[in-house]
Amino acid sequence: MNAVATLRHTRYVLGENPLTVVAFSLFALIVTVAIFGPWIAPYDPIASSASRLQPPSWDHWFGTDHLGRDVFSRVIVATRLDLFIAVSAVALSFVVGSILGCLAGFFGGWTDRIISRCIDTIMAFPLFVLAMGIVAVLGNSVENIIYATAIINLPFYARVARAEISVRRKAGFAAAAKVAGNSDLRVLSMHLYPNILPQMMVQLSLNMGWAILNAAGLSFIGLGVVPPTPEWGIMVAEGAEYIVSGQWWLVFFPGAALMLAVFCFNMMGDGLRDLIDPRRRT
Amino acid sequence: MKQPLLTVEDLTVEFQTRAGIVQVLDRINLTLHKGETLAVVGESGSGKSVGAFSIMGILDPAARIRSGSIRFDGMDLLTSSAGDLNTVRGREMAMIFQSPATALNPIRKVGQQIEDVLRRHGPVTRREARRRAVEALAQVRIPDPERRYHAYPFELSGGLCQRVMIAIALCCQPRLLIADEPTTGLDVTTQAAIMDLVRDLGRERNMATMLITHDLALAAQYADRIMVMHAGQVVETAPTDALFSQAAHPYTAGLMKATPTEASSLDELKAIPGSLPDLKGSLPPCRFAGRCERRESRCDDPGLALAAVGTDDLHRVACRRPL
Amino acid sequence: MRTSWMVTVGQRLLEALPTLFGIILVTFVLTRSLPGDPAVYFAGPAADAQSIAETRASMGLDQPLPVQFGRYVQNLAQGDWGVSHNTGRPVIEELGRRLPASLELTLLGLLLSMAAAIPLGVLAATRPNSLVDHACRVVVTAGVSMPVFFTGLLLVYVFYYQLGWAPSPLGRLSFMYIEPPKVTGLYLVDSLLAGDFEVFRAALGQIALPAITLALFAMAPIARMTRAAMLGVLGSDYIRTAKASGLAPHTVLFTYALRNALLPVLTTLGMVFSFLLGANVLVEKVFSWPGIGSFAIEALVASDYAAVQGFVLSMALLFVSLNLIIDLLYTLIDPRAGGEAT
């Protein structure tokens, strides 16, 4: 398949599904905000002021919270932390999951049995509940939120990698590489793994949104991020008690930011899958 | 002459795919009388099944009927309402499919699947339907029908599944049966048993049968008339004997040379050169021209149609240089 | 037929044993890998050196790990799940008391989302690439992208603060009502059993918003799976047979297509449960729902490890049993599953 065909196919998929275009633009925006957040924010995100619980206005686009902090600035600045948690967790589970899945799929036998059994045991827990337990034990910190999120995401990558590798293990090109004198590990890493990368990438983008949701959920119940650090989950938690008295902006803007980010990744994952899944190709 | 039971006139069907419009059927004509067995023969992709699906009204949503008409016992099937069609399907005309194992609902007892059809097409009590379902199973010579009523398709062999399919198709005594490659995927002895069953039941009820097959030998054995299709066109149609004694179309002749019989040795078998043309875009008047050894420049002239071979009006061929 | 099904049941139960073992092992490792000395935690904040030593001995922490594990399993089996420092009561008692509240909420949420998502998926599958299909896709993706705690708070704002339709989001029943006599522990069921429709309506009012919140979240996987499965089934040979037999459109769609399509949907329900049990914790916090989830959050904040461990374990056991039930339902619906089981 040549580059022109790929480009045409990309354009076709994007044309078929304009939402994917929206998702990719949104993604660019989120990344920009994450990088330049502190410079974009008009106010200091942790500086309190006397103007408390002000509804959205020209001065404070998203209003102010119970300590008089500018919600807009806090939402903007929080982007980096939320993204950082999700990206590191997903990267961690991507790497570890790939390795475990590849080993299980390539060597089979006892390696496979042991790794699969461990993965199944993780999946036997309701995943968010397991994450809560892990954070409780490891201790309440951002770092541990990342580890917990990584552990509960690991099975997805390991399963995809295992399935894809075990299908390709017997393929002609792998045998050829082996006959040419490459070691098992070399065949696996240089010849087989690159072939399953597209599937892994789809899994990655589908998983990203879920990772953000989990991390935010953990901080919503008071784990990980400590106030006054701006983070979407904790901002929603702080604003929760004001919703019954009608101060909706405390919850709405960080919640909407969270939702947009997750929606963006989910849509991108869908789009990417359409792009890569050969069954939808004509 | 008697009014035919089924008349198809100038039927043209297209498929709309992402790669463009595919012309699957090109001005098909056929007639079928009561009690008659017509075999439609052609390689896979020649449009045999699409023709059958058009008659049954179960074409894929991507298919479009461009022109033509299908009349069944005076009823215009293409303009009838979905409701009217549904009362005819299964009761007046029925179809059996290839790969019987997947053509039956995997999680419903075979007896119930027969009952579903019975109860749909006539006011019968539950008890009556049950009795007739078992009867239908017995009629297709399934041993121990009482017990097999409770079987699920996965518990039955391919041959038994096909018998169940036939029971479903024939339980309402239809006047037309379309059998689409009914023996594909079955072993040889089962094939013969299934075909004999179809023939016997057809004769018993004076039923019209349309047998779709790629197997010319099978067609020769069971059909009164044979219609040969190639790339969505009817290339030749004739009574079975006439076709075998005097094939007029080069493609028919090629098919016969490619069909093993008891007399022929392997050396005599000859494959037809080339493959079916790509049906996308514009096509020559004779779609076999590209594979034909007898092709001449006049073969590309427009206006090719079926014409009688000699004096026999029943034997017609669509070829400018018939054999 | 029946006996073979009983064999299948037995097989599935046996198959669940290694999973059960894995779960208990993980929770054991979790409790033993607490930072610092577990005995210090389990002895409580007011413990002196002696009571810590006593705790260590009583918990068997001075024994080798396999012995500790054996003891741990034994204790769990005897219902000794430790004591919650927060409430001073046995963890198992606390969990048992709160379980019905969580179950009622989760099950109602699941029922609601199935009631909405399955028809939506069928609708989308019967009209692929139509407006309905695209709308369905956007709606369910939006649903799964909404953090449940955010959805819950938005619903509270709209239906409690703005419209005043919903009661205040505080628990299972307003203090003006007396809870129904306990039979199942599910207020909706118990109030109906007692014939007390006023309490039923009050309980329904309280549970409506949190259940809808959960349902919105769980819709996406169910609707998607229904759509995909229906698309596959509608293109299958046996649907063509059914159509060719002139069966009525609703028979084809429901008796033939949907029943087959529900099999993969049933399988995804396991995953949906995993999501729901997690989301349940967040929703309980938003609506001050006195279930296991809010118990766990309080325990987490107070580093009440026995309680947290009991929570994780009970949720995992619940999840395993639900998966087992799904598995058995599957073998009931699909005649092939029982025969092919090895």
Side-chain angles (χ1 to χ4, degrees):
Chain A
M1 178 190 59
N2 57 37
V4 179
T6 310
L7 202 69
R8 196 180 308 135
H9 182 71
T10 309
R11 214 174 51 207
Y12 164 73
V13 170
L14 293 183
E16 175 101 326
N17 188 0
L19 280 170
T20 309
V21 184
V22 177
F24 275 96
S25 327
L26 204 56
F27 176 66
L29 179 74
I30 292 171
V31 171
T32 314
V33 171
I35 296 172
F36 300 107
W39 292 280
I40 300 172
Y43 296 89
D44 181 348
I46 54 173
S48 320
S49 77
S51 55
R52 289 183 193 149
L53 294 173
Q54 295 299 306
S57 64
W58 265 120
D59 287 338
H60 298 282
W61 290 1
F62 292 177
T64 59
D65 69 4
H66 54 293
L67 297 176
R69 297 173 296 194
D70 180 45
V71 176
F72 179 67
S73 303
R74 285 174 68 75
V75 168
I76 293 285
V77 172
T79 311
R80 186 187 288 182
L81 180 58
D82 275 274
L83 220 55
F84 169 76
I85 295 176
V87 169
S88 357
V90 165
L92 206 60
S93 45
F94 182 88
V95 172
V96 179
S98 292
I99 293 172
L100 290 179
C102 285
L103 291 178
F106 190 74
F107 291 107
W110 277 104
T111 322
D112 183 22
R113 243 165 277 167
I114 292 171
I115 292 176
S116 295
R117 196 28 97 180
C118 292
I119 299 294
D120 287 349
T121 304
I122 296 181
M123 293 296 280
F125 286 89
L127 294 174
F128 185 73
V129 169
L130 182 63
M132 285 170 67
I134 294 171
V135 177
V137 167
L138 293 182
N140 199 345
S141 70
V142 172
E143 201 186 325
N144 291 335
I145 293 261
I146 293 173
Y147 290 139
T149 310
I151 291 175
I152 62 169
N153 281 318
L154 201 129
F156 300 104
Y157 298 98
R159 284 186 171 180
V160 172
R162 177 182 173 273
E164 298 287 338
I165 288 286
S166 65
V167 168
R168 287 175 176 73
R169 183 171 54 157
K170 298 272 189 295
F173 68 91
K178 180 82 179 134
V179 170
N182 291 290
S183 70
D184 275 348
L185 276 180
R186 204 179 148 76
V187 172
L188 184 55
S189 56
M190 303 304 284
H191 297 270
L192 283 171
Y193 190 65
N195 275 290
I196 72 163
L197 262 180
Q199 280 81 359
M200 295 295 282
M201 292 312 286
V202 171
Q203 186 62 41
L204 183 99
S205 63
L206 284 173
N207 202 223
M208 194 72 172
W210 197 64
I212 297 181
L213 274 187
N214 267 304
L218 289 174
S219 57
F220 177 77
I221 59 175
L223 295 177
V225 185
V226 186
T229 315
E231 191 276 341
W232 294 332
I234 210 164
M235 287 173 73
V236 175
E238 284 174 347
E241 58 182 295
Y242 299 94
I243 203 99
V244 286
S245 48
Q247 279 104 0
W248 53 274
W249 55 93
L250 267 66
V251 162
F252 181 79
F253 292 106
L258 195 50
M259 194 192 110
L260 271 183
V262 177
F263 189 70
C264 158
F265 281 110
N266 284 344
M267 276 298 180
M268 241 167 50
D270 278 0
L272 217 56
R273 181 171 50 196
D274 294 352
L275 201 67
I276 284 166
D277 192 343
R279 273 165 302 181
R280 285 205 44 169
R281 268 194 155 167
T282 44
Chain B
M1 198 175 162
K2 262 194 321 173
Q3 191 72 22
L5 182 66
L6 175 76
T7 316
V8 176
E9 274 175 356
D10 280 330
L11 182 68
T12 301
V13 176
E14 290 173 354
F15 268 66
Q16 285 181 324
T17 68
R18 281 181 175 166
I21 290 176
V22 182
Q23 302 174 11
V24 220
L25 287 185
D26 182 26
R27 287 170 291 123
I28 301 298
N29 288 285
L30 73 85
T31 54
L32 189 55
H33 289 89
K34 233 175 165 180
E36 190 186 26
T37 299
L38 168 72
V40 180
V41 178
E43 36 193 323
S44 41
S46 59
K48 303 166 300 198
S49 295
V50 175
F53 291 175
S54 317
I55 296 169
M56 295 299 293
I58 50 170
L59 278 172
D60 194 85
R64 194 130 306 163
I65 295 177
R66 276 261 88 95
S67 65
S69 71
I70 303 174
R71 302 185 71 79
F72 175 77
D73 196 25
M75 177 184 178
D76 188 338
L77 296 183
L78 293 184
T79 55
S80 297
S81 71
D84 289 348
L85 268 182
N86 249 352
T87 56
V88 175
R89 276 198 292 248
R91 188 167 73 183
E92 304 286 332
M93 53 188 209
M95 183 160 176
I96 55 183
F97 298 91
Q98 52 184 323
S99 51
T102 58
L104 292 172
N105 188 343
I107 60 169
R108 202 162 171 77
K109 289 178 182 171
V110 295
Q112 284 178 324
Q113 297 190 43
I114 302 175
E115 259 182 48
D116 287 337
V117 181
L118 282 169
R119 290 164 65 90
R120 162 74 182 164
H121 293 298
V124 282
T125 60
R126 197 170 276 271
R127 233 216 197 108
E128 171 81 358
R130 168 76 195 267
R131 190 185 58 75
R132 280 178 60 186
V134 174
E135 211 176 274
L137 287 172
Q139 242 166 23
V140 293
R141 299 169 201 162
I142 291 182
D144 201 357
E146 278 285 353
R147 190 168 63 87
R148 290 286 162 55
Y149 173 97
H150 296 286
Y152 291 97
F154 80 96
E155 296 169 328
L156 301 177
S157 68
L160 278 180
C161 282
Q162 194 55 287
R163 283 170 196 270
V164 172
M165 279 288 308
I166 297 172
I168 290 178
L170 300 188
C171 66
C172 290
Q173 321 278 346
R175 286 184 288 167
L176 168 68
L177 174 71
I178 301 179
D180 184 4
E181 307 260 12
T183 58
T184 309
L186 303 179
D187 60 60
V188 184
T189 44
T190 318
Q191 280 187 10
I194 293 286
M195 282 314 300
D196 289 348
L197 181 68
V198 170
R199 183 187 54 195
D200 296 350
L201 292 174
R203 277 184 191 157
E204 248 168 55
R205 301 156 189 225
N206 200 19
M207 191 169 64
T209 309
M210 185 168 154
L211 169 66
I212 295 170
T213 178
H214 61 272
D215 184 351
L216 204 54
L218 193 80
Q221 204 178 343
Y222 292 97
D224 304 316
R225 278 196 299 133
I226 296 178
M227 185 171 111
V228 182
M229 287 190 68
H230 175 264
Q233 289 177 321
V234 177
V235 293
E236 186 165 9
T237 166
T240 306
D241 295 340
L243 191 81
F244 276 87
S245 60
Q246 194 200 352
H249 198 281
Y251 178 65
T252 314
L255 269 187
M256 284 177 183
K257 284 196 193 115
T259 306
T261 58
E262 287 161 52
S264 64
S265 72
L266 264 183
D267 301 333
E268 287 171 77
L269 279 181
K270 236 181 112 191
I272 301 173
S275 55
L276 285 178
D278 185 1
L279 296 181
K280 289 193 284 280
S282 66
L283 288 158
C286 174
R287 295 180 180 178
F288 187 63
R291 302 166 78 178
C292 188
E293 290 165 350
R294 299 169 59 82
R295 181 182 184 170
E296 286 182 349
S297 61
R298 65 180 161 136
C299 286
D300 295 330
D301 294 344
L304 181 70
L306 280 172
V309 176
T311 54
D312 188 357
D313 194 45
L314 286 175
H315 189 174
R316 301 168 78 85
V317 67
C319 183
R320 291 222 160 77
R321 288 200 61 201
L323 291 159
Chain C
M1 227 33 218
R2 287 299 90 177
T3 50
S4 76
W5 192 69
M6 289 310 288
V7 172
T8 313
V9 172
Q11 270 171 359
R12 296 294 145 102
L13 281 173
L14 278 180
E15 278 165 24
L17 279 183
T19 317
L20 199 63
F21 178 80
I23 287 171
I24 295 176
L25 190 63
V26 168
T27 44
F28 173 73
V29 171
L30 283 184
T31 51
R32 289 305 182 270
S33 55
L34 288 175
D37 188 345
V40 178
Y41 285 106
F42 285 100
D48 52 20
Q50 197 200 342
S51 68
I52 289 173
E54 275 168 14
T55 311
R56 178 168 294 129
S58 75
M59 287 180 68
L61 289 172
D62 44 0
Q63 307 275 326
L65 277 176
V67 177
Q68 288 188 34
F69 181 67
R71 211 178 147 135
Y72 177 77
V73 175
Q74 198 185 355
N75 285 344
L76 288 181
Q78 287 167 350
D80 177 9
W81 290 30
V83 173
S84 162
H85 290 300
N86 253 6
T87 61
R89 291 163 63 161
V91 169
I92 193 134
E93 198 184 307
E94 288 280 356
L95 292 174
R97 201 163 51 85
R98 290 159 171 270
L99 185 67
S102 297
L103 266 187
E104 185 173 32
L105 180 56
T106 312
L107 291 179
L108 187 65
L110 183 74
L111 282 181
L112 280 180
S113 78
M114 278 167 63
I118 291 177
L120 207 60
V122 171
L123 209 64
T126 47
R127 297 166 183 76
N129 288 321
S130 69
L131 205 65
V132 182
D133 188 17
H134 287 301
C136 166
R137 181 178 162 193
V138 173
V139 168
V140 298
T141 311
V144 82
S145 305
M146 298 270 279
V148 273
F149 48 89
F150 181 51
T151 324
L153 288 168
L154 282 187
L155 290 179
V156 168
Y157 179 73
V158 173
F159 292 100
Y160 168 68
Y161 180 78
Q162 287 288 346
L163 300 171
W165 294 356
S168 69
L170 294 169
R172 301 177 77 185
L173 204 54
S174 159
F175 64 91
M176 294 188 297
Y177 298 92
I178 302 163
E179 52 184 272
K182 182 170 175 174
V183 183
T184 58
L186 314 177
Y187 283 6
L188 290 180
V189 179
D190 286 354
S191 59
L192 282 183
L193 286 179
D196 192 342
F197 294 102
E198 209 174 326
V199 170
F200 175 77
R201 208 160 342 145
L204 192 63
Q206 292 286 349
I207 205 172
L209 288 190
I212 290 172
T213 308
L214 281 180
L216 283 175
F217 183 66
M219 264 175 69
I222 302 177
R224 279 184 170 205
M225 200 61 213
T226 310
R227 179 184 179 274
M230 274 302 271
L231 273 180
V233 169
L234 285 175
S236 71
D237 289 355
Y238 54 87
I239 293 301
R240 200 178 53 197
T241 310
K243 283 183 184 162
S245 312
L247 294 186
H250 66 88
T251 316
V252 175
L253 195 60
F254 297 109
T255 316
Y256 278 68
L258 187 58
R259 270 196 213 173
N260 275 287
L262 281 182
L263 290 172
V265 174
L266 196 58
T267 316
T268 38
L269 278 192
M271 204 59 232
V272 171
F273 263 125
S274 171
F275 289 151
L276 271 182
L277 290 177
N280 189 50
V281 176
L282 300 167
V283 171
E284 283 188 11
K285 177 171 156 101
V286 170
F287 291 91
S288 308
W289 198 258
I292 293 185
S294 22
F295 173 65
I297 294 174
E298 284 159 26
L300 269 176
V301 175
S303 299
D304 182 354
Y305 291 108
V308 172
Q309 171 220 308
F311 160 73
V312 174
L313 193 58
S314 62
M315 282 298 190
L317 292 180
L318 192 61
F319 184 45
V320 170
S321 349
L322 288 170
N323 274 329
L324 206 60
I325 292 171
I326 289 173
D327 224 23
L328 294 177
L329 272 181
Y330 196 102
T331 59
L332 270 187
I333 298 177
D334 189 347
R336 292 164 294 185
E340 279 167 2
T342 44

